Amino acid sequence: MSQDTIELLSEQRCFDGMQRFYRHASQAIGLPMRFSVFVPPQAEGGRVPVLFFLAGLTCTEETFMIKAGAQRFAAQHGLMLVAPDTSPRGAGVPGENDDWDLGTGAGFYLDATQPSWRAHYRMETYLVDELFRLVTSVLPGDAARVGISGHSMGGHGALVLAQRHRDQFQSVSAFAPIAAPSRVPWGEKAFTAYLGSDRQVWAAYDASQLMARAQDPFPKGILIDQGLADGFLASQLHPDAFKAACAQANQPLVLRTHADYDHSYYFIATFIQDHVAFHAERLGSN
């Protein structure tokens, strides 16, 4: 079987495009992986720009597509939406299902280096090499016009992967990202398990630390939305650290805060139209 073979699990017509769910045998992960794609109607005329959306802890490839309501706006702008799963499934790592914030559903979009995890928990390689290739070859995505966004753990992933792979991602945004994972409980727990105890190694996956030493910022800006009623804001997210790092790097940043909004998909659904338009403008939508 070709490494680019993907199995269509389901498809539904949606805003004159197609909402699809796929499964494939991942070479990077070494296990079957699932992902979802919204193909806008403009894809009938050729390749279209792509927006990857990375979901947060405990989520799957279904969460964003079902809850965010992004397809309406993606269809208007001619933007393909892609949502991967949040971790490998069934890797057999001892304890991977014990905690909701580590292991299954909590891959943190990095390549693990520690013995228990490194064989299968290779989400960075999966996303930027394997899934990126599938979306821009087998599916009608344009490899020269790709953006990335995400929520919470996925916001961390978006900010980090955009910086680590500047040649692949032309635009980046986030909702309530874990912006300084090296200094919060979620990040400390995951990084210790996946990367070991050396905090210098962690810096390679910390969005704020990466930005603080950036040489080539995103000149068209970064967009972040954060709810002020978010119960994780003070303890886990620290967008202030990323804001300070952007100022140090002369990185244009729009950090919008919203009274009374929490960490849920009701918050994301409220502002997703702005994020789709933000990426469409930067990617040159159809």
Side-chain angles (χ1 to χ4, degrees), residues 16-257:
D16 293 325
M18 295 300 297
Q19 177 62 56
R20 294 172 175 159
F21 293 87
Y22 290 100
R23 177 172 57 204
H24 70 117
S26 168
Q27 300 296 310
I29 300 296
L31 293 165
M33 291 291 289
R34 295 180 181 238
F35 65 96
S36 58
V37 177
F38 172 71
V39 181
Q42 291 86 345
E44 295 178 4
R47 294 198 172 273
V48 293
V50 181
L51 176 60
F52 281 84
F53 192 92
L54 311 183
L57 292 164
T58 75
C59 293
T60 72
E61 76 285 352
E62 294 183 327
T63 311
F64 172 74
M65 295 299 186
I66 292 173
K67 293 185 176 183
Q71 292 93 334
R72 177 193 299 271
F73 311 115
Q76 292 171 1
H77 290 284
L79 200 64
M80 178 189 291
L81 303 174
V82 178
D85 202 349
T86 51
S87 77
R89 305 277 167 174
V93 178
E96 70 177 343
N97 297 316
D98 290 353
D99 298 318
W100 64 276
D101 55 357
L102 181 69
T104 303
F108 269 80
Y109 304 105
L110 53 75
D111 283 356
T113 61
Q114 296 306 288
S116 296
W117 303 94
R118 66 188 179 196
H120 299 295
Y121 278 72
R122 304 179 68 242
M123 290 298 293
E124 178 179 22
T125 294
Y126 171 68
L127 282 167
V128 303
D129 289 351
E130 191 169 17
L131 188 56
F132 189 99
R133 184 187 69 250
L134 292 174
V135 166
T136 58
S137 59
V138 179
L139 299 175
D142 184 347
R145 296 184 291 165
V146 182
I148 190 166
S149 185
H151 171 232
S152 193
M153 177 186 72
H156 141 77
L159 295 176
V160 167
L161 295 182
Q163 293 185 75
R164 286 173 58 86
H165 303 276
R166 288 290 313 281
D167 58 329
Q168 290 183 246
F169 299 108
Q170 287 71 54
S171 58
V172 57
S173 73
F175 290 89
I178 306 173
S182 296
R183 51 191 272 195
V184 302
W186 280 342
E188 290 176 335
K189 181 176 181 177
F191 285 2
T192 299
Y194 297 142
L195 303 174
S197 58
D198 186 348
R199 287 179 173 263
Q200 292 185 341
V201 174
W202 297 4
Y205 288 103
D206 186 303
S208 295
Q209 293 190 50
L210 285 171
M211 182 57 70
R213 59 175 189 264
Q215 298 298 316
D216 299 300
F218 289 84
K220 294 183 179 180
I222 296 173
L223 172 63
I224 294 178
D225 276 300
Q226 175 64 60
L228 294 179
D230 189 325
F232 300 113
L233 176 57
S235 61
Q236 301 282 12
L237 304 181
H238 289 292
D240 53 315
F242 189 73
K243 181 178 180 180
C246 285
Q248 182 175 332
N250 294 316
Q251 167 61 55
L253 170 70
V254 175
L255 173 58
R256 307 191 304 186
T257 56

